[in-house]
Amino acid sequence: MRKKYEIKTNDQIRKMRVAGLLTAKALENVRAAIRPGVTTLELDQIAEKTIRDGGGRPNFQLVPGYHHTICASVNSEVVHGIPSNRVLEAGDLVSIDCGAEVDGWNGDSAFSMVVPGLDSDLTKQRQLQSDVCEGSLWAGIAALAGAKRLNEVGVAIEHYIAQRGKWGILEQYVGHGIGRSMHEDPAVFNYAVRDAGPKVEPGLCVAIEPMITSGDQKTFIHEDDWTVVTKDSGDGAHWEHSIAVHSKGIWVLTAPDGGVEGLKSFGITPISLD
Ligand code: MG
Ligand code: MG
């Protein structure tokens, strides 16, 4: 049976927006620091400082056994990479996942990018993979705006990806509800599932996070017990936003513009509660 999850009021959603914006700021600062020669641990410190200076707590540190502010997953690592002294190289495909908790409410967001400084067929392919993954996230968010049931999000994500070539979609890892905890029910699938899922109604807050691979979608967990790596050594990409459904529409809490740009090509206008 599906567990119960909290339906948020507009006031609670406004609080989640504060956490979402701080999450976005941390990711923005990390993005600006990504260049050849930087270590993923340095990126972690930038994110942590941004969140603490902004009056929040890095919510990844509240996950039992995890001690960092971001996950940094490089090339064949898809998600849950642990920051370390690993040095990023030009052309690497890196995915950064981060979350902030402010005043008891959470944000969760992720992006992928190709480390600048190298132009090759491989980097073009990696950029395309990141773009397809990002586009599928916005397709999922756009679907949420008009959905009656939550499984319509996964149908839209899978459809968007399938139309753009042969990519793998991770199935063991999915999106989730978000609120007082970073991870809440319900599960948000990135592919079509038979179960319609819960009703999409005002107060539903979810993190949508497609993860795609350049080859087969099969993965294993590295001996560090965290990092999810592709079995065939293909590349992984990961994009994520936290989104609120409210009485007037949807609002992308972890996008500084609330989702205006990302949703434009889908003909959807997000509504701010500010
Ligand atoms: Mg995340
Ligand atoms: Mg998440």
Side-chain angles (χ1 to χ4, degrees), residues 131-189:
D131 291 346
V132 169
C133 191
E134 181 183 13
S136 77
L137 167 61
W138 288 109
I141 296 171
L144 181 72
K148 289 196 167 61
R149 293 286 187 161
L150 192 56
N151 73 332
E152 292 170 50
V153 171
V155 171
I157 291 172
E158 181 174 346
H159 180 71
Y160 182 97
I161 293 167
Q163 282 189 318
R164 284 161 180 81
K166 209 169 151 26
W167 308 96
I169 302 177
L170 258 63
E171 293 186 356
Q172 313 94 305
Y173 304 91
V174 298
H176 48 89
I178 183 164
R180 293 181 202 270
S181 300
M182 179 172 54
H183 294 132
E184 296 183 351
D185 280 339
V188 185
F189 297 95

Side-chain angles (χ1 to χ4, degrees), residues 60 96-99 107-110 176 182-183 207 209 238 240:
F60 285 22
I96 306 291
D97 194 351
C98 183
D108 187 9
S109 182
H176 48 89
M182 179 172 54
H183 294 132
E209 51 178 317
H238 177 213
E240 176 178 26

